C-alpha cells in the first residue's frame, strides 16, 4: 500500500525511476570499465594515426561502410556504384535504423551525419555494456557482469564499437531484447527485436531467440497440464512480443523486394556485393588456400580462432547458458561462418556474439580482483594496439 500511495502522489517519481537509478548505480563499475577500455583504444588510435599521417576522426567516421550509412542519411536510398568489373553496389544493402538516427540527430544538432553516426555508436556501445552487465549479473553475479562488459570492450576488433558503424547499436538492441526475454518482459523483447531487425541482417538471430524461447515456454506450460490459451493468459505479453519481433527485419526485406520488383530483391542486392550464404564453402576454401600456400601460419591461426569460438560456445551451453542466449549466439556464429564475401570482415560480424564471453567472465569473477584486472588490462592494451594497426591498415569493409 505504501508503494502504491507513493506512486500516486503528484510530484513524486514513478516507482520505475528509482529502480532504474538503482540498476544504473549497480552497473556504474561496468560502464566505467567499458569506457576506460574504449578510451584507451581511442588514445592509441589517435597517436598511431598521427604517426602514420592519418586522421583518427576520418578513420572512425568517413571510411568504408560509414560512408554508405552517411549517404543513406543524407540522400536516402537509391545510390549505386558500378565497379570496373561491372558489379553494381547499391546502398539498399544497408539497413535503415542507423541512418535514420544519423539524420535525426544531425537535424537537431550542429553535428554532421557522419559525426552523428559516431555519437550514436558511442552512446549505443554504453547501452550495450549496461545490458551485458545486467545479463552477467543475473547469471553469475556482479563481478561477472563487470567482467563481461570489460571483455566485450577489449575484444580484438573492439575499435568498431567506436566507429560510425551499426554493430554497437545492434548489440545494444539485441542484448536488451534478450535480457527482456530472460526477465519475462515479452512486449519489450518484441519491440527491441524489431528495432534490431531494422539495424542489421543478423537481426534474424534475435527473432529466432525470441520465437524459440516463446515456443519452449509454451510447450513446458502445456506439458504441465495447462492448455495453450491458459498459458498465454498466464503470460499476456508473450503473443504480442512474438508478433512484434520480426516486423523490423521482415518489413525492410519486403520493402527492398517491392522496390526491386522481386521477392528476393534484398538477397539479389547482397549478391551484387558478393555476399550470401553457401554453408561455409567459400570460407573453407579460403582457409584451405592459406594452409596450402605460403600463408600456412595464417591458416593455422584461422583454424585455431574458429576452434576457440566453437569451444566457447559449447562451453557456455554446457554451463547451462539460458536458451535465448544460446540460440542467438549460435545463429550469429552460424551466419558469420557460413557467409561468403570479404573474409576480413568476419571478426566484425561476430562482434555482437557477446554470450561467447560469458564463460570467460564467469571464470574471471572467481579470480582475485587484482589478478583479474591485470589480465583485463593486458587484453585491453593488446586490443588497443591491434585496433589502431587494423584501422591504419586494411581496416573493416
Amino acid at each position: 500500500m505504501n508503494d502504491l500511495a507513493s506512486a500516486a502522489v503528484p510530484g513524486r517519481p514513478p516507482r520505475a525511476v528509482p529502480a532504474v537509478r538503482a540498476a544504473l548505480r549497480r552497473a556504474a563499475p561496468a560502464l566505467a570499465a567499458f569506457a576506460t577500455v574504449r578510451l584507451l583504444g581511442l588514445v592509441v588510435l589517435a597517436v598511431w594515426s598521427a604517426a602514420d599521417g592519418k586522421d583518427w576522426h576520418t578513420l572512425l567516421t568517413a571510411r568504408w561502410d560509414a560512408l554508405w550509412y552517411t549517404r543513406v542519411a543524407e540522400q536516402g536510398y537509391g545510390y549505386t556504384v558500378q565497379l570496373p568489373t561491372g558489379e553494381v553496389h547499391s546502398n539498399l544493402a544497408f539497413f535503415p535504423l542507423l541512418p535514420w538516427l544519423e539524420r535525426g540527430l544531425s537535424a537537431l544538432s550542429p553535428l554532421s551525419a557522419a559525426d552523428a553516426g559516431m555519437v550514436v555508436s558511442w552512446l549505443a556501445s554504453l547501452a550495450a555494456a549496461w545490458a551485458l552487465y545486467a545479463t552477467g549479473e543475473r547469471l553469475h553475479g556482479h563481478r561477472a557482469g563487470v567482467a563481461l562488459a570489460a571483455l566485450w570492450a577489449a575484444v580484438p576488433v573492439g575499435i568498431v564499437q567506436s566507429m560510425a558503424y551499426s554493430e554497437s547499436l545492434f548489440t545494444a538492441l539485441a542484448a536488451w531484447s534478450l535480457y527482456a526475454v530472460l526477465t519475462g518482459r515479452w512486449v519489450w523483447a518484441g519491440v527491441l527485436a524489431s528495432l534490431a531487425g531494422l539495424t542489421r541482417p543478423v537481426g534474424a538471430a534475435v527473432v529466432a531467440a525470441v520465437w524459440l524461447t516463446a515456443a519452449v515456454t509454451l510447450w513446458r506450460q502445456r506439458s504441465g497440464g495447462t492448455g495453450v490459451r491458459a498459458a498465454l493468459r498466464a503470460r499476456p505479453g508473450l503473443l504480442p512480443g512474438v508478433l512484434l519481433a520480426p516486423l523490423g527485419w521482415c518489413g525492410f526485406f519486403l520493402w527492398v523486394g517491392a522496390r526491386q520488383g522481386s521477392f528476393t530483391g534484398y538477397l539479389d542486392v547482397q549478391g551484387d556485393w558478393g555476399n550470401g550464404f553457401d554453408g561455409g564453402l567459400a570460407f573453407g576454401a579460403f582457409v584451405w588456400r592459406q594452409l596450402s600456400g605460403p600463408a600456412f601460419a595464417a591458416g593455422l591461426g584461422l583454424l585455431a580462432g574458429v576452434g576457440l569460438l566453437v569451444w566457447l560456445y559449447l562451453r557456455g551451453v554446457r554451463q547451462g547458458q539460458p536458451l535465448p542466449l544460446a540460440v542467438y549466439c549460435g545463429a550469429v556464429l552460424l551466419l558469420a561462418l557460413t557467409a561468403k564475401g570479404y573474409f576480413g570482415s568476419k571478426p566484425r560480424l561476430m562482434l555482437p556474439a557477446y554470450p561467447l564471453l560469458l564463460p570467460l567472465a564467469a571464470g574471471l569473477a572467481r579470480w582475485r580482483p587484482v589478478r583479474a584486472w591485470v589480465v583485463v588490462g593486458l587484453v585491453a592494451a593488446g586490443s588497443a594496439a591491434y585496433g589502431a594497426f587494423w584501422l591504419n591498415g586494411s581496416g573493416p569493409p
Side-chain angles (χ1 to χ4, degrees):
M1 287 294 294
N2 289 337
D3 288 341
L4 293 174
S6 175
V9 174
R12 291 189 181 181
R15 287 172 295 171
V17 174
V20 171
R21 288 175 179 169
L24 184 57
R25 282 195 297 270
R26 291 197 308 273
L31 298 180
F34 175 86
T36 300
V37 174
R38 293 294 351 114
L39 179 60
L40 174 64
L42 292 174
V43 170
V44 173
L45 174 65
V47 173
W48 193 305
S49 300
D52 205 32
K54 296 177 181 177
D55 179 28
W56 67 272
H57 178 263
T58 299
L59 293 176
L60 294 178
T61 63
R63 294 190 69 186
W64 306 295
D65 288 5
L67 288 173
W68 288 89
Y69 284 118
T70 299
R71 289 192 184 102
V72 174
E74 294 176 341
Q75 304 170 17
Y77 285 105
Y79 178 84
T80 60
V81 172
Q82 185 165 4
L83 304 182
T85 59
E87 296 175 324
V88 176
H89 288 182
S90 168
N91 64 0
L92 288 169
F94 296 87
F95 275 55
L97 185 57
L98 177 59
W100 287 348
L101 294 175
E102 289 179 345
R103 182 184 301 175
L105 184 56
S106 62
L108 297 173
S109 71
L111 294 172
S112 66
D115 285 339
M118 184 173 67
V119 170
V120 168
S121 186
W122 288 9
L123 294 176
S125 66
L126 282 170
W130 189 358
L132 267 60
Y133 165 78
T135 302
E137 180 199 36
R138 182 177 182 85
L139 299 179
H140 301 290
H142 171 75
R143 290 183 58 192
V146 175
L148 181 60
L151 287 174
W152 188 64
V155 295
V157 293
I159 191 65
V160 175
Q161 298 163 13
S162 302
M163 298 177 68
Y165 270 46
S166 61
E167 276 77 8
S168 291
L169 179 60
F170 173 79
T171 304
L173 294 168
W176 279 116
S177 176
L178 298 180
Y179 183 77
V181 173
L182 292 175
T183 55
R185 297 176 173 89
W186 288 98
V187 173
W188 274 112
V191 170
L192 292 166
S194 184
L195 291 173
L198 282 171
T199 308
R200 292 191 61 78
V202 75
V206 190
V207 178
V210 173
W211 278 12
L212 284 176
T213 306
V216 170
T217 299
L218 291 178
W219 178 78
R220 287 174 177 171
Q221 195 85 14
R222 286 199 64 188
S223 65
T226 304
V228 173
R229 290 185 179 179
L232 289 174
R233 285 195 298 270
R235 293 173 173 79
L238 189 146
L239 183 57
V242 166
L243 295 176
L244 286 167
L247 294 184
W249 191 92
C250 289
F252 185 69
F253 184 93
L254 294 174
W255 178 79
V256 173
R259 186 182 175 107
Q260 296 294 97
S262 168
F263 178 74
T264 61
Y266 181 77
L267 299 179
D268 298 336
V269 169
Q270 286 285 2
D272 290 338
W273 278 80
N275 299 324
F277 299 96
D278 62 359
L281 293 177
F283 183 52
F286 174 77
V287 174
W288 174 249
R289 287 195 299 272
Q290 306 303 306
L291 291 172
S292 58
F296 178 76
L300 283 181
L302 281 173
L303 284 180
V306 172
L308 176 61
L309 294 173
V310 173
W311 180 82
L312 286 172
Y313 177 73
L314 295 177
R315 178 74 173 174
V317 171
R318 286 197 299 268
Q319 288 180 348
Q321 198 167 96
L323 180 63
L325 297 181
V327 171
Y328 164 78
C329 188
V332 172
L333 278 181
L334 182 66
L335 292 172
L337 293 176
T338 61
K340 58 183 179 179
Y342 180 67
F343 300 111
S345 65
K346 287 193 180 294
R348 177 173 64 86
L349 297 179
M350 289 183 280
L351 184 61
Y354 67 90
L356 289 174
L357 301 172
L358 270 169
L360 300 178
L364 282 177
R366 293 191 291 269
W367 288 10
R368 295 178 60 183
V370 172
R371 183 185 176 194
W373 284 114
V374 166
V375 171
V376 171
L378 292 174
V379 173
S383 171
Y386 179 76
F389 167 77
W390 193 42
L391 285 196
N392 280 278
S394 60

